[in-house]
Amino acid sequence: MSLIKQYADFILHNLPEWNYSQAVNNEVVQRQKQTFAMAVSEIDEKTKIDSQLKQLGRVIKDFVPDNHIALFDSKNHQLVEKQEPTYSKRAYNLAYAPSENLQNLGIQEFKHYKMQAGHPQWMIATQCVGNLRIGIVAIPSFEGDSEKQTQTRKAFIADFFEEKAKHKWQNIIFDFRGNSGGDAELIKEIGERMSGKSLNYADLCEVIQAKPQDENQAKILGKKGHIRPQTTQYQSQNGDKFRGGIYILQDRWCASAAEGAIFMLSQIQKSQTIGENTSGTFAGGACTEIPFEQGKLRIGTEYRQRSRNGREIKEKEGQLPDIEIPSKEAYSKACRIILNQQIQTLSLLQTGQKRE
């Protein structure tokens, strides 16, 4: 079997979206597999291998319904073109904002957390607007070695609940703009402790039955370190629960674990998402890298399904926001909503007092 056909065969038999337990009964899936196989058969195998791999990269981009999958040539060039937003990852998340800019926004108290060398800092802050106290949690990336970050993440969670209690937050803004993923277990803990209920990372998570082509692939796929652990519900401690509004800022950069974080927080009462569609990079998760004679393939090993408000969230389409607005305007929009609600509440109280 030629190298290109080895790649194609591996994708056909291991892509999570095409090989979860019910895929065999899904007519759409079967048509997708046929279309992909036909496109691969048209690759010119008389050209150099890297040229063939480049052609395969275009086929994957056009015909494989998965945003996690990636193909690398013998020089480690990524060959599956990814559509990215026109603005930088660092453009809008408040964790990147200079102190002066934060103060100009009325954010007087803030603390940054260096999670790991070479990775973006996180931030917890409080914005005071009149009698309002708004908590701000800005996480521009979940990347890095989560085991090395264990103590820092514990400290972040402890500080989150301490600041929430200290400043008596009435609303919380979670800023995930620019966050393309990593490990969002920390948000599961925060969300479950605040809500007092279990939050699902997806409606369905299913580790697929791997079909390796050789012993080396079998060994790689047999390692479960890349599989996301299924954790039990985190229990609320005294003072953890939160009944105020939760506003989640999202944009086209939000992918993978960031989409998982948004999905989990969206299950909490009084939560709203604000911004742009997410990336749509979640259906084939728990990725691992499979080397071939030349090049390598990054592919998921776990299939995931999500839906919200009765609508399926689709790979490559992403999660729609409750309130659609350009990424750069998402924070100010959340603040306006919070202030307008406060004005309406005061107006109702005043009307009630007058009637008495």
Side-chain angles (χ1 to χ4, degrees):
M1 187 185 297
S2 70
L3 181 63
I4 290 300
K5 287 185 172 60
Q6 289 176 41
Y7 272 105
D9 183 77
F10 189 91
I11 293 168
L12 285 166
H13 292 98
N14 290 280
L15 187 81
E17 293 92 320
W18 288 346
N19 293 280
Y20 66 98
S21 57
Q22 296 302 310
V24 68
N25 301 316
N26 189 316
E27 293 182 2
V28 173
V29 166
Q30 299 312 313
R31 286 198 299 271
Q32 289 174 343
K33 294 176 75 170
Q34 291 171 6
T35 302
F36 170 73
M38 183 64 70
V40 171
S41 71
E42 296 176 359
I43 292 175
D44 185 359
E45 295 190 16
K46 295 178 182 178
T47 59
K48 293 181 178 180
I49 288 297
D50 277 351
S51 175
Q52 293 179 45
L53 289 173
K54 191 172 183 179
Q55 293 175 68
L56 179 60
R58 290 195 291 267
V59 171
I60 291 171
K61 172 185 175 293
D62 293 339
F63 300 110
V64 175
D66 186 300
N67 263 341
H68 267 124
I69 194 168
L71 177 68
F72 301 86
D73 65 15
S74 59
K75 298 178 182 177
N76 207 37
H77 296 143
Q78 210 287 92
L79 303 175
V80 182
E81 182 182 342
K82 306 293 184 181
Q83 187 173 358
E84 295 182 344
T86 55
Y87 51 88
S88 164
K89 279 186 180 184
R90 300 175 62 93
Y92 305 122
N93 194 292
L94 291 173
Y96 294 123
S99 299
E100 183 179 352
N101 291 14
L102 292 173
Q103 291 169 351
N104 289 338
L105 290 170
I107 303 171
Q108 298 298 325
E109 294 197 35
F110 48 87
K111 181 179 179 181
H112 289 91
Y113 299 77
K114 187 175 182 179
M115 305 308 296
Q116 188 177 341
H119 295 279
Q121 295 186 104
W122 299 4
M123 184 183 79
I124 293 176
T126 298
Q127 182 176 15
C128 303
V129 182
N131 294 325
L132 278 178
R133 298 294 182 271
I134 304 170
I136 299 168
V137 180
I139 303 181
S141 173
F142 289 117
E143 293 176 352
D145 187 324
S146 57
E147 291 186 6
K148 291 182 179 178
Q149 295 175 355
T150 297
Q151 295 306 315
T152 312
R153 285 176 174 239
K154 285 182 179 178
F156 186 88
I157 292 171
D159 284 356
F160 170 87
F161 285 103
E162 183 179 322
E163 292 295 301
K164 179 176 76 68
K166 174 183 174 182
H167 294 287
K168 296 181 173 59
W169 292 344
Q170 295 125 306
N171 298 274
I172 302 175
I173 296 174
F174 287 89
D175 189 354
F176 295 130
R177 289 174 296 177
N179 189 326
S180 58
D183 183 328
E185 184 68 19
L186 167 141
I187 293 299
K188 183 177 189 292
E189 178 172 349
I190 287 175
E192 290 184 343
R193 287 173 59 179
M194 281 199 303
S195 64
K197 68 176 185 178
S198 180
L199 302 178
N200 296 323
Y201 191 76
D203 297 323
L204 170 66
C205 291
E206 179 185 313
V207 177
I208 65 161
Q209 184 65 46
K211 298 180 179 65
Q213 297 171 337
D214 55 42
E215 290 184 4
N216 186 42
Q217 291 181 2
K219 184 177 180 180
I220 293 170
L221 292 167
K223 295 177 180 178
K224 301 301 181 184
H226 54 274
I227 299 294
R228 187 182 56 82
Q230 301 290 329
T231 53
T232 56
Q233 180 182 338
Y234 292 95
Q235 298 301 310
S236 297
Q237 301 172 23
N238 185 38
D240 282 355
K241 289 190 177 178
F242 182 73
R243 294 177 176 81
I246 295 174
Y247 301 88
I248 307 154
L249 311 187
Q250 64 180 56
D251 62 15
R252 291 297 304 182
W253 280 109
C254 291
S256 195
E259 291 179 288
I262 293 165
F263 185 73
M264 288 188 288
L265 290 176
S266 297
Q267 296 163 44
I268 301 176
Q269 191 176 11
K270 294 185 180 179
S271 67
Q272 282 187 297
T273 53
I274 303 173
E276 304 164 354
N277 279 20
T278 60
S279 170
T281 307
F282 67 92
C287 293
T288 190
E289 290 190 351
I290 306 295
F292 286 76
E293 185 180 342
Q294 290 193 53
K296 62 183 178 181
L297 183 72
R298 185 171 67 229
I299 191 168
T301 58
E302 181 179 85
Y303 175 65
R304 297 162 185 168
Q305 284 182 355
R306 291 182 181 141
S307 61
R308 186 161 182 254
N309 300 327
R311 179 185 180 276
E312 181 185 358
I313 300 170
K314 295 184 178 180
E315 183 80 356
K316 291 193 172 183
E317 291 184 12
Q319 182 169 307
L320 294 170
D322 294 316
I323 300 171
E324 188 172 1
I325 197 167
S327 179
K328 65 180 179 180
E329 301 174 25
Y331 172 72
S332 58
K333 178 65 175 179
C335 291
R336 288 198 300 273
I337 292 171
I338 292 168
L339 288 172
N340 286 339
Q341 288 180 340
Q342 177 73 357
I343 291 169
Q344 290 172 8
T345 300
L346 290 173
S347 178
L348 289 171
L349 288 172
Q350 291 172 355
T351 301
Q353 290 173 354
K354 287 179 182 178
R355 286 177 180 172
E356 291 175 3

